[in-house]
Amino acid sequence: MIQETYSKNRSLKEVSIETDLLIVGGGLSGTCAAITAARQGVKVVLVQDRPVLGGNASSEVRLWALGATSHMGNNNRWSRETGVTGEILEENLYRNKEGNALIFDTILIEKVKQEENITLLLNTSAFEVAHEGTQIQSVKAFNSQNSTLYKLSAKRYCDASGDGVLSFLAGASFRMGAETIEEFGEKMAPNVEQYGELLGHTIYFYTKDTGKPVNFTPPAYALKDIEELPRFKNIQADHTGCNYWWIEYGGRLDTIHDTEDIKYELWKVVYGIWNYIKNSGNFPEAENMTLEWVGTVPGKRESRRFEGLYMMKQQDIIKQNKFEDAIAHGGWALDLHPSDGVYSALPSCTQWHSKGTYQIPLRTAISRDIDNLYFAGRLVSVSHVAFGSTRVMLTSAVAAEGVAVSAAYSILNDVLPKETVEKEHITKIQQALLEKSSYIPHLKLDKSKYVSSKAKVSVSSELNLTELRTSENWKTLQMPSAQMLPITSDQKELSLRVPVNASEATTLEVTLKVSLDPTNFTPEKVIGLYSKEVKEGSQHVDLTFDVSELGDTYVFVCFAPNTAIQLNYSEDRITGILSVFRKENKAVSNFGEQKPPADIGIDGFEFWTPQRRPEGQNIAMQIKTPLFIGKKENLNSGIIRPVQSTNAWIADFEDNQPTLTLEWEEAKDISSIKLYFDADLDHAMESTQFGHPESVVPYCVESFRIKDENGKCIFQTETNHSTLCEISFDQPVKTSKLEVEFDRKNNSTPVSIFDFICN
Ligand SMILES: Cc1cc2nc3c(=O)[nH]c(=O)nc-3n(C[C@H](O)[C@H](O)[C@H](O)COP(=O)(O)OP(=O)(O)OC[C@H]3O[C@@H](n4cnc5c(N)ncnc54)[C@H](O)[C@@H]3O)c2cc1C
């Protein structure tokens, strides 16, 4: 028993921790930064004021994490985030394809707890910063659950707290609001009076059908007059969670200090909407429904943005500017919202897309005032307009991984964060990121330092694509439909034979298009055009295009809609081969074509986007000028996703036991192996609410074994479901040969792999 008499001076229990890197904020950015830094070999303390990790992606807020793929509604093919962010998404798909936010929480906690280098302090709020001159010295944080005061000191600090509590208290320069057009020449800069300056907060709700009638009496504070919401006609009984992203409020207030008031207003709107659904009589289908969950922590979109060594702007995103210190990629639209949110009569968002993905420079994450401070998440150094794109969680999370590698490098090599952007350092940081499967547009993994680069490589077969085989699946050519095919600079012609079914004599219009920038997937330049007369019935249409002027690039074989014509769709699913359609995806402002008003600094172009599985089959055709898309030399590309080619070794369809063999003249000591598989980087893999058809994507090799020179199996798995499979051996394996046997899943999906490295 503990019994104490009156004491004049009591104080909290205090715990001091010294670490290498202190990260404040355990949203997706802080979490991915912590895991990445820990794996680079530094000690990390991760302080998160909530009981779970994930921030807006957690079960407390329940936003689906998105990034460059933009719900697969823009032209950014194969742009999904990789690295630790991708690992989390792929694990979430494996365990939780239904998108249960609670399961997503468990994955984040598990990943962090598995890292010995991370000390995780949940329920712990950072509230005080000691700093002297341009250095942060320590941070105080309080845990209300264990009533402990933590004094945390570190060599480097990373602020991933959303509102930027750490940077603010450390005195770093920041902005809150919108820049004028004049400041950076950003033509999308809002008219502040009409549109406001800040994006507001949101609270979501989930409902469920109980199978019997349920009454609802609204709380006294619920909104009474639903017509106060200009968008009330959008309310639907079957909408839930993220469908209600437009319940937004607070953009005209102080989105930090007024947050509690904003929360009450959002609850008022949420319960008012539910009252309308339950009691207006307009939704009889809601009779058995009840509220299952209402958010208690508002999802915050925007507050402070801190000033780094560089501030990204609209032009960097639209022109896809290149940076020497690029650490990550983005691709979400420039997405701004009227500050009046749910009470605004204006469209609830303005989204303008770029033609492809863009680079994010490290300098946006390094404080220009405080020497040992990094930024991560939505608070990084970007203009209000650029923030419209960089703020989404998967984009901020991959940039945060770049921050983590830079921070670890700066600690281990005793250089300042700002020095890590210099050529001699940034190249190593970029290479470390690429090795961990991160994507930085236009950069390649330098393979020369790996033992694997000295090996003689042989493969059991290589796919020379001569056909996308026909199936029983004929579909009417309802909308513009295209088959994407990669061609090489040495190719003179592309010759195709397309099976067609016509209900009457008609004309088939086919256009061959390419992107002006071969690293984009926005078909905009016409290379060839056909008007083919077809007769009633089944037949083949022959098409030959001159491609001699093109370099390595994807071409789009575009079929104009014609309801008298059916095309055949193949069951063959092949790495780097995709069909796309000119269809709308209003959720991301894709109306088939981007038609911006003049003079807002945005390009006009067509959207050609894929269908989600189980749809999205390739258009069947014979390829009379075969495409050598699966050659083993693709393993040397240093790029682990399709860009200007498949970048993958792809085995032949008929290869029953695809095998990759590496041989050296002398035995080598192998202590680590990395294999980079195709976990479908075109798949948006939304983390929450959005269900997905399968837990492992069809292209991904699940089962394989690695054998040494004696045929002894040194590694095997049957459960791979990730882009990056990392294998390390406690004792190096001495061998002059490695043989990797891959198991094919079915006859229509050939085995593929982007890269294999070992050391
Ligand atoms: C309604 C809404 C819809 C959106 N739509 C999407 C979408 O569809 N997809 C998408 O990817 N993004 C979307 N966004 C944007 C995205 O959610 C945010 O930009 C993103 O969460 C920013 O990530 P972050 O890690 O910086 O912040 P957060 O996710 O907010 O994480 C910061 C964490 O730091 C913690 N923290 C704060 N202060 C302290 C402290 N003092 N001590 C310790 N911890 C602290 C917070 O509790 C929080 O968990 C949306 C945002 C909102 C609000």
Side-chain angles (χ1 to χ4, degrees), residues 59 519 662:
S59 62
T519 61
L662 284 85

Side-chain angles (χ1 to χ4, degrees), residues 270-313:
V270 164
Y271 288 108
I273 288 176
W274 188 241
N275 183 36
Y276 175 62
I277 291 175
K278 286 296 287 185
N279 297 323
S280 65
N282 294 343
F283 303 93
E285 68 275 27
E287 172 145 31
N288 294 352
M289 287 167 72
T290 188
L291 280 176
E292 191 197 13
W293 168 84
V294 176
T296 50
V297 183
K300 292 185 177 182
R301 285 188 179 82
E302 181 175 13
S303 56
R304 300 182 185 116
R305 291 171 284 112
F306 287 84
E307 294 186 13
L309 301 177
Y310 182 77
M311 187 170 281
M312 273 184 90
K313 359 183 187 326

